[in-house]
């Protein structure tokens, strides 16, 4: 069965098409990305702007056409923090459905954490034991942990790389004072969560997903994506500290020239690195392993789990 997953994030709209069946490994067939930066299209009154909504409708319509052309039996579409937090999200979702025929579901932060955890658990298996999963998006940071496929806890914090870039930095590159203040502020934000995580015991394996973590790992010496998903990649606290000392002095334009850095995300790389460092420090993690599966794969796996030949329920509560 060929399935399409449409992920409307804070930075990009990503269509992933896979060939999958229950109990089998989902095989990617096509990936299409469009940079919209919806989080930057939120007005001062907290609404998604008309321009942003117009672009979203056009992009979703194009993705639907691609999914049909590629023979997808179903298109599962979801949106995360940018749309979730927009004051006019309900109206935008109605418009998307009316003009494209696509029902775009808004995931809660906890949904994101749980589905990402499911993907990591399936990739690493039961041998991973007590699994801790971290994911840094444009608008939020997700943390989940547990010994089963459904995590014992799943939290989402408004500590995304794009959000911090917009709210904490006023220059490019950020000043030393802005960086230092952000580091202290992040420590304060993460301290209560760290205490709650500690109650669940030391993780047997700590895994980080998301483009932010993959980029940071690549910049500290991890294998490139061309080496394939099964190559072990790690991000260490030492390597990350050294990297931050280097990239925090670079402009977004200069960062975009580095190998492995996406030009569309270069402007938020420093903030993402600070979030990663603060999270690893708060949770006493000397290193994290970079997991190849994340939210989109979690959505696919959940869908396959719920399919019995007639049931096409997706992302059920």
């Amino acid at each position: 069965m060929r399935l399409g997953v449409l992920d409307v994030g804070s930075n990009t709209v990503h269509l992933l098409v896979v060939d999958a069946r229950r109990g089998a490994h989902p095989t990617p067939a096509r990936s299409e990305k469009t940079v919209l930066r919806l989080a930057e299209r939120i007005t001062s009154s907290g609404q998604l702007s008309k321009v942003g909504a117009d672009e979203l409708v056009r992009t979703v319509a194009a993705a639907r056409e691609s999914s049909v052309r590629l023979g997808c039996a179903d298109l599962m579409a979801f949106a995360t923090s940018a749309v979730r937090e927009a004051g006019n999200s309900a109206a935008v979702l109605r418009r998307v459905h009316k003009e494209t025929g696509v029902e775009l579901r808004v995931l809660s932060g906890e949904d994101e954490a749980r589905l990402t955890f499911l993907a990591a658990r399936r990739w690493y298996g039961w041998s991973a034991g007590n699994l801790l999963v971290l994911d840094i998006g444009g608008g939020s940071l997700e943390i989940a942990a547990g010994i089963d496929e459904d995590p014992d806890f799943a939290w989402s914090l408004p500590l995304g790389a794009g959000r911090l870039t917009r709210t904490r930095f006023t220059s490019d590159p950020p000043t030393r004072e802005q960086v230092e203040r952000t580091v202290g502020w992040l420590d304060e934000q993460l301290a209560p969560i760290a205490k709650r995580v500690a109650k669940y015991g030391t993780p047997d394996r700590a895994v980080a997903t998301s483009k932010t973590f993959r980029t940071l790992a690549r910049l500290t010496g991890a294998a490139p994506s061309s080496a394939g998903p099964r190559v072990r990649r790690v991000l260490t606290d030492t390597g990350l500290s050294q990297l931050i000392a280097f990239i925090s002095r670079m402009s977004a334009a200069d960062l975009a020239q580095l190998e492995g850095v996406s030009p569309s995300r270069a402007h938020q790389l420093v903030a993402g690195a600070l979030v990663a460092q603060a999270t690893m420090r708060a949770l006493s993690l000397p290193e994290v392993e970079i997991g190849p599966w994340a939210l989109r794969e979690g959505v696919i796996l959940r869908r396959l789990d719920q399919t019995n030949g007639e049931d096409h329920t997706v992302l059920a509560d």
Side-chain angles (χ1 to χ4, degrees):
M1 173 169 54
R2 177 159 285 190
L3 299 173
V5 179
L6 185 62
D7 176 358
V8 177
S10 298
N11 292 302
T12 62
V13 176
H14 187 175
L15 172 66
L16 175 65
V17 175
V18 301
D19 292 319
R21 58 184 173 83
R22 188 170 183 176
H25 183 288
T27 303
R30 178 81 171 183
S31 176
E32 298 179 359
K33 298 179 182 179
T34 303
V35 178
L36 288 190
R37 292 188 179 178
L38 289 179
E40 298 177 15
R41 300 301 180 92
I42 302 298
T43 67
S44 58
S45 62
Q47 311 288 302
L48 179 62
S49 69
K50 184 179 185 304
V51 172
D54 290 345
E55 291 187 353
L56 176 59
V57 168
R58 286 194 293 269
T59 303
V60 171
R64 183 179 184 277
E65 291 176 2
S66 291
S67 71
V68 171
R69 185 179 66 255
L70 293 167
C72 292
D74 195 6
L75 177 64
M76 299 167 286
F78 64 88
T80 55
S81 63
V83 175
R84 179 169 68 230
E85 296 173 9
N88 59 339
S89 62
V92 171
L93 295 175
R94 286 194 298 269
R95 182 184 168 193
V96 169
H97 185 251
K98 179 180 179 180
E99 297 186 27
T100 70
V102 174
E103 185 172 354
L104 189 61
R105 174 166 180 178
V106 175
L107 296 181
S108 69
E110 183 177 325
D111 286 336
E112 288 188 58
R114 290 185 178 280
L115 288 165
T116 301
F117 182 87
L118 171 64
R121 171 61 75 191
R122 291 287 177 88
W123 180 268
Y124 290 101
W126 300 116
S127 63
N130 186 15
L131 181 66
L132 173 66
V133 179
L134 311 174
D135 186 287
I136 300 172
S140 58
L141 161 71
E142 275 71 50
I143 303 175
I147 60 173
D148 298 320
E149 289 203 336
D150 191 43
D152 294 329
F153 67 82
W155 292 310
S156 179
L157 304 171
L159 301 178
R163 187 192 300 272
L164 263 65
T165 301
R166 295 190 302 275
T167 60
R168 306 289 307 184
F169 299 160
T170 58
S171 61
D172 178 25
T175 65
R176 182 175 180 178
E177 181 182 10
Q178 288 171 1
V179 170
E180 291 177 349
R181 287 189 176 185
T182 298
V183 169
W185 180 80
L186 283 168
D187 287 343
E188 293 175 358
Q189 299 300 307
L190 288 164
I193 294 298
K195 291 181 179 179
R196 296 171 69 179
V197 172
K199 295 180 180 180
Y200 292 88
T202 302
D204 298 307
R205 196 168 203 156
V207 173
T209 66
S210 74
K211 179 66 173 178
T212 295
F213 273 114
R214 289 197 302 273
T215 300
L216 295 172
R218 178 72 187 103
L219 290 173
T220 56
S225 59
S226 59
R230 290 178 176 80
V231 174
R232 186 173 187 269
R233 299 172 175 87
V234 298
L235 175 65
T236 67
D237 56 355
T238 300
L240 183 55
S241 295
Q242 294 172 345
L243 178 65
I244 290 173
F246 175 63
I247 64 174
S248 61
R249 299 193 298 268
M250 298 176 66
S251 68
D254 289 336
L255 289 172
Q257 302 303 311
L258 298 178
E259 183 181 358
V261 177
S262 170
S264 65
R265 296 174 182 266
H267 67 293
Q268 62 184 45
L269 181 62
V270 173
L274 294 180
V275 174
Q277 181 187 52
T279 305
M280 292 174 67
R281 180 169 56 244
L283 301 180
S284 301
L285 300 174
E287 71 174 35
V288 291
E289 187 166 351
I290 307 302
W293 279 5
L295 179 57
R296 286 180 291 275
E297 287 79 10
V299 169
I300 293 167
L301 293 167
R302 177 64 58 82
R303 158 63 197 276
L304 293 173
D305 287 347
Q306 295 172 342
T307 299
N308 60 15
E310 296 179 355
D311 179 12
H312 291 277
T313 301
V314 180
L315 304 178
D317 293 330

